[in-house]
Amino acid sequence: MGSSANPLVKASLSDRVSAVIQQAIEQQRLVGAVVLIARHGHMVYRQAAGLADRENNHVMTPETIFRLASVSKPIVSAAALVLVARGQLDLDSPVSRWLPEFTPMLADGNPATITARQLLSHTAGLGYRFFERDEHGPYAAAGVSDGMDAAEITLEENLRRIARVPLQYTPGRSWAYSLATDVLGALVARINGTTLDVAVRELITDPLAMRNTGFYSAEPQRVARAYVNDQPRPHLLQEGEIVPPFPDVVGIRYSPARIFNPAAFPSAGAGMAGTADDFLRLLEALRDGETLLPRTLVEEMSRDWTHGLELEGSPGIGFGLGFSVLRDPQLAASPESPGTWRWGGAYGHSWFVDPQQELSVIAFTNTLGEGMSGQFVNDLRDAVYGISTAGREAA
């Protein structure tokens, strides 16, 4: 990517965004962050701030590797779409065609048919263990892993355990954020005829030169330590610590050490690590509709497949094939254009792509809570679009 054609725009944007990052760090809402912004295919902002490792005073750099959590989802979702482009996967065929052992049932005991499109759009009837109300829920009872704990099971075993739990609803009838991407990962691996880590490397990370992204890191000195929002400052995330991302749920059991364990199963929904630069390569490759996938398939990914269903707590937002899609900016109280893609990651990340503005924004942080859904996320968005108390400026 080259430099911005308009240095005045770059300087104005830089001032606004840098101020938001600095404020979040000074107020100890974030420990460290890497923020990238691309416009019209050019990098217009690339900044690392704060600390990657507070205890050892290691500064954050653009080359810092982050545990990606759900930022893994669009990577594996894109891999599935590459298989569609090659004619190896049909989005609307039953996944049992390729995964005959995956046979979940409805609550009444009747069999259910799940398609790849439903897995990609989280309309398959599956759930997440961390969304259960207590530690005795059905996923917990089945020993299901959400992909961020230290569970010593294989991907195949986790798939079997997921299939034992009755579906929450008939596939296609509702929407619930779920382990669907983990099932999708098993599907991608089966069709590719490899393990999932090899499939993602062959389909996505090698073609896009995402050299620092994968399901395992052999460079612990480059990986940011993880912190949890707390008072008076974020505390260091402990191995096995449970952190609820929302009220009234049991929460995610984290294993920061998982990414350094080559035997940990590859979780398509939560198990990857990588740099912000690498992830920007993927977003830009999808946005341009030429580098990785045909434009028609990018349009499929960008369409709302919830059929008008409201995502709980997210008015005006639907879900495409791997990420949310903005339906109504007014309802969502957002300056983003209709059709903007967005999602995040529980280790402290947020990102969005505004195709109308040819804009891609990534904010990887090492602070759980604030970096995914805190004030920083909206402040950064508003800074990008030039919104201030004085009103909207030219972005």
Side-chain angles (χ1 to χ4, degrees), residues 96-162:
S96 57
R97 171 179 167 185
W98 299 278
L99 296 173
E101 71 275 25
F102 184 67
T103 55
M105 299 286 186
L106 297 172
D108 62 8
N110 285 319
T113 299
I114 295 174
T115 67
R117 189 185 304 278
Q118 291 164 345
L119 293 175
L120 284 154
S121 60
H122 294 272
T123 58
L126 299 166
Y128 253 129
R129 177 173 174 168
F130 72 81
F131 276 143
E132 294 178 336
R133 297 298 179 184
D134 57 49
E135 59 187 22
H136 306 295
Y139 279 110
V144 169
S145 169
D146 285 335
M148 288 196 287
D149 57 16
E152 295 181 355
I153 57 175
T154 63
L155 174 58
E156 293 73 22
E157 175 59 26
N158 205 43
L159 197 70
R160 283 191 288 270
R161 295 181 183 188
I162 293 169

Side-chain angles (χ1 to χ4, degrees), residues 139-201:
Y139 279 110
V144 169
S145 169
D146 285 335
M148 288 196 287
D149 57 16
E152 295 181 355
I153 57 175
T154 63
L155 174 58
E156 293 73 22
E157 175 59 26
N158 205 43
L159 197 70
R160 283 191 288 270
R161 295 181 183 188
I162 293 169
R164 289 180 202 149
V165 180
L167 296 178
Q168 297 181 357
Y169 53 84
T170 301
R173 298 279 183 88
S174 189
W175 185 90
Y177 192 49
S178 70
L179 284 155
T181 310
D182 281 71
V183 178
L184 182 75
L187 179 65
V188 167
R190 182 67 55 84
I191 293 173
N192 199 61
T194 63
T195 57
L196 179 58
D197 57 328
V198 171
V200 170
R201 187 166 69 244

Side-chain angles (χ1 to χ4, degrees), residues 45-331:
Y45 187 88
R46 182 174 185 260
Q47 183 66 44
L51 299 173
D53 180 344
R54 186 181 64 199
E55 285 65 32
N56 293 296
N57 201 37
H58 293 165
V59 298
M60 190 72 77
T61 74
E63 290 73 36
T64 297
I65 294 172
F66 296 85
R67 299 167 184 85
L68 295 179
S70 287
V71 177
S72 308
K73 288 182 171 72
I75 300 173
V76 178
S77 297
L81 269 293
V82 171
L83 294 175
V84 173
R86 294 180 179 180
Q88 295 175 266
L89 172 62
D90 179 352
L91 287 173
D92 296 309
S93 291
V95 298
S96 57
R97 171 179 167 185
W98 299 278
L99 296 173
E101 71 275 25
F102 184 67
T103 55
M105 299 286 186
L106 297 172
D108 62 8
N110 285 319
T113 299
I114 295 174
T115 67
R117 189 185 304 278
Q118 291 164 345
L119 293 175
L120 284 154
S121 60
H122 294 272
T123 58
L126 299 166
Y128 253 129
R129 177 173 174 168
F130 72 81
F131 276 143
E132 294 178 336
R133 297 298 179 184
D134 57 49
E135 59 187 22
H136 306 295
Y139 279 110
V144 169
S145 169
D146 285 335
M148 288 196 287
D149 57 16
E152 295 181 355
I153 57 175
T154 63
L155 174 58
E156 293 73 22
E157 175 59 26
N158 205 43
L159 197 70
R160 283 191 288 270
R161 295 181 183 188
I162 293 169
R164 289 180 202 149
V165 180
L167 296 178
Q168 297 181 357
Y169 53 84
T170 301
R173 298 279 183 88
S174 189
W175 185 90
Y177 192 49
S178 70
L179 284 155
T181 310
D182 281 71
V183 178
L184 182 75
L187 179 65
V188 167
R190 182 67 55 84
I191 293 173
N192 199 61
T194 63
T195 57
L196 179 58
D197 57 328
V198 171
V200 170
R201 187 166 69 244
E202 292 179 352
L203 298 170
I204 301 294
T205 58
D206 275 358
L208 295 181
M210 297 168 63
R211 296 184 180 90
N212 295 295
T213 299
F215 290 95
Y216 165 72
S217 176
E219 301 179 274
Q221 72 281 1
R222 289 186 59 195
V223 178
R225 300 190 82 176
Y227 299 87
V228 186
N229 281 129
D230 204 349
Q231 293 297 329
R233 65 176 191 167
H235 71 257
L236 184 66
L237 179 69
Q238 300 300 305
E239 185 71 16
E241 184 174 353
I242 297 174
V243 182
F246 311 107
D248 303 320
V249 298
V250 67
I252 300 168
R253 183 181 296 276
Y254 287 86
S255 171
R258 189 183 199 276
I259 197 63
F260 307 123
N261 178 7
F265 78 85
S267 166
M272 299 188 77
T275 62
D277 282 330
D278 273 7
F279 191 61
L280 183 63
R281 289 188 181 94
L282 174 67
L283 293 185
E284 285 288 278
L286 292 175
R287 186 194 59 76
D288 72 23
E290 298 171 359
T291 304
L292 186 67
L293 294 171
R295 188 167 297 278
T296 53
L297 281 181
V298 176
E299 290 171 354
E300 285 282 284
M301 294 185 80
S302 309
R303 193 170 294 130
D304 176 19
W305 290 104
T306 66
H307 305 292
L309 291 169
E310 286 290 341
L311 277 58
E312 185 177 354
S314 302
I317 295 174
F319 210 90
L321 303 181
F323 40 72
S324 68
V325 178
L326 181 60
R327 285 199 302 245
D328 187 329
Q330 187 171 356
L331 273 178

